[in-house]
Amino acid sequence: MTLEPERNVATRLALEAGELLRLHLTRGLTVEHKTSADDPVTAADREASDLILAGLRAAFPGDGLLSEEAADDAGRLDVERVWIVDPIDGTKEYASGSPDYAVSIGLAVGGEPVLGVVYAPATDELFVGVVGEGVTKNGAPAGFSDRAEYVVSVSDTEFQRELHRHDLPGMVPSGSVALKLARIAAGEADVTFTMSPRSEWDIAAGHALVRAAGGDLRRRDGRRIRYNLARPHIEQGIIGGRPGALEWLEGELSARTLPTAHLGLTRDDQAWAVLSAEDQAALAGHPGIFVRHAGGQVLALLVVDEDGTVQRASGDAFHLERLTRDVTRALGPLRRQALEAGGLD
């Protein structure tokens, strides 16, 4: 698949957005929060999103558009090609002065990520990749490392709150997941995983970069990640990287029974098996089942009605708090109010 015009436009827009973000930093930022203190947004997010979407719309008027900071257009579901954008992946880091944030622009065709551009404005690092054509960093060819001791890039938030308690070797915490995946594709790390779910805009470009380098990104239960879904959120944690490292990490996580969340659980999901027979019978068909689990055991369970009312909350207090944060972020501000009213946040 030759995507030279798409690659050139996405690269130009990522660089322009990065310059805009640097400019905002010199002027000072006003930070708001969408669903929690862990979910900030700034005027820079919105302006960068507008810049990128306007450029993509002008260059490729027939393509669909999906951005974290723009109203969703259901028309994207009717087209084959969709641009998936996060104008600032790592807004918390951006607002706090950390360099660990990135502009992320991905293209999915038929639900598969095929092109990714990730730009780190603070360090002026540009990662570009097309599946079948490889990856470049700042214009030079790049690819997976061949190191024997794997570098595991993990969420700094998850590391601070939980992962530091575990003896998983090679962990290096950082912010932006898009930048994690870009660095893996360029050989600066080897593999990554999350316990909490992510959204399509967080990972589409990085996923394309990893695929372009010859690796993969998938759900924690092993299933493929598809893009341009009606609800653009991955319901569970993710895992990805270069071959060999990915299989090694899956074994390490299994051996240590490290948790993951699954949001919107159904009978078709592998995690359904962690529920008791009684819960399986009582909850079959319920649209709002959320579970955090590890080693075949339920650590926390939330059952939320369609109006946001918490019907049931059970499990270990620590894991219930982590699951509640995942659910509030995924469901948005209105459901968050209901969860807070139930005393869960």
Side-chain angles (χ1 to χ4, degrees):
M1 181 178 295
T2 299
L3 296 170
E4 185 174 358
E6 290 84 350
R7 177 173 49 208
N8 292 340
V9 169
T11 297
R12 172 177 59 81
L13 292 172
L15 293 172
E16 291 178 2
E19 180 59 31
L20 176 65
L21 300 185
R22 287 190 292 260
L23 181 60
H24 268 274
L25 285 176
T26 66
R27 296 172 175 172
L29 298 174
T30 299
V31 181
E32 305 168 22
H33 295 91
K34 291 184 283 188
T35 61
S36 72
D38 290 333
D39 194 13
V41 66
T42 69
D45 292 80
R46 300 185 180 104
E47 290 184 25
S49 179
D50 290 345
L51 182 156
I52 294 167
L53 295 185
L56 292 172
R57 191 177 292 113
F60 310 108
D63 290 355
L65 301 173
L66 173 65
S67 171
E68 179 178 15
E69 306 303 342
D72 194 5
D73 179 5
R76 65 180 171 80
L77 301 175
D78 300 323
V79 297
E80 185 79 357
R81 296 179 15 137
V82 178
W83 293 92
I84 303 174
V85 175
D86 194 344
I88 309 179
D89 184 59
T91 300
K92 183 170 67 171
E93 286 74 17
Y94 173 70
S96 69
S98 165
D100 197 4
Y101 65 92
V103 179
S104 176
I105 304 175
L107 174 64
V109 178
E112 298 283 350
V114 298
L115 179 152
V117 175
V118 173
Y119 179 54
T123 52
D124 196 28
E125 294 174 279
L126 176 68
F127 304 84
V128 180
V130 175
V131 175
E133 298 182 17
V135 176
T136 63
K137 178 182 177 182
N138 291 345
F144 290 141
S145 80
D146 59 0
R147 65 176 64 86
E149 295 185 1
Y150 300 128
V151 175
V152 183
S153 187
V154 299
S155 160
D156 52 4
T157 300
E158 292 184 349
F159 183 82
Q160 292 166 15
R161 291 178 175 162
E162 189 168 1
L163 283 175
H164 69 277
R165 304 175 182 177
H166 297 272
D167 64 347
L168 180 68
M171 287 192 290
V172 176
S174 61
S176 163
V177 66
L179 199 49
K180 286 183 181 68
L181 294 168
R183 295 198 187 287
I184 289 170
E188 298 166 24
D190 299 291
V191 70
T192 189
F193 76 99
T194 71
M195 291 181 286
S196 295
R198 295 293 185 268
S199 298
E200 289 187 18
W201 44 73
D202 298 321
I203 61 174
H207 189 175
L209 288 170
V210 171
R211 288 188 70 212
D216 196 15
L217 183 72
R218 49 188 181 245
R219 298 167 184 260
R220 282 279 297 274
D221 67 6
R223 288 186 296 167
R224 296 169 61 199
I225 297 173
R226 300 285 295 176
Y227 291 87
N228 194 33
L229 301 183
R231 193 167 184 282
H233 305 285
I234 315 307
E235 299 93 343
Q236 57 187 272
I238 58 173
I239 183 169
R242 68 178 175 103
L246 179 53
E247 287 70 26
W248 168 84
L249 181 58
E250 286 180 323
E252 294 292 318
L253 297 184
S254 176
R256 288 166 173 78
T257 61
L258 282 171
T260 187
H262 195 119
L263 311 185
L265 188 66
T266 73
R267 296 179 65 174
D268 295 330
D269 296 315
Q270 292 182 25
W272 184 259
V274 306
L275 299 179
S276 68
E278 180 180 0
D279 279 340
Q280 289 181 7
L283 298 175
H286 195 290
I289 306 170
F290 309 92
V291 64
R292 199 169 203 249
H293 64 96
Q297 301 296 318
V298 174
L299 303 174
L301 176 67
L302 275 173
V303 181
V304 183
D305 289 338
E306 291 185 358
D307 64 358
T309 302
V310 178
Q311 185 183 109
R312 177 177 168 188
S314 59
D316 172 84
F318 173 82
H319 293 291
L320 187 58
E321 186 270 342
R322 298 306 311 142
L323 179 61
T324 299
R325 286 180 179 272
D326 289 341
V327 173
T328 56
R329 188 162 187 171
L331 297 186
L334 293 178
R335 297 279 182 93
R336 172 179 167 77
Q337 293 173 9
L339 288 165
E340 287 176 335
L344 295 175
D345 192 23

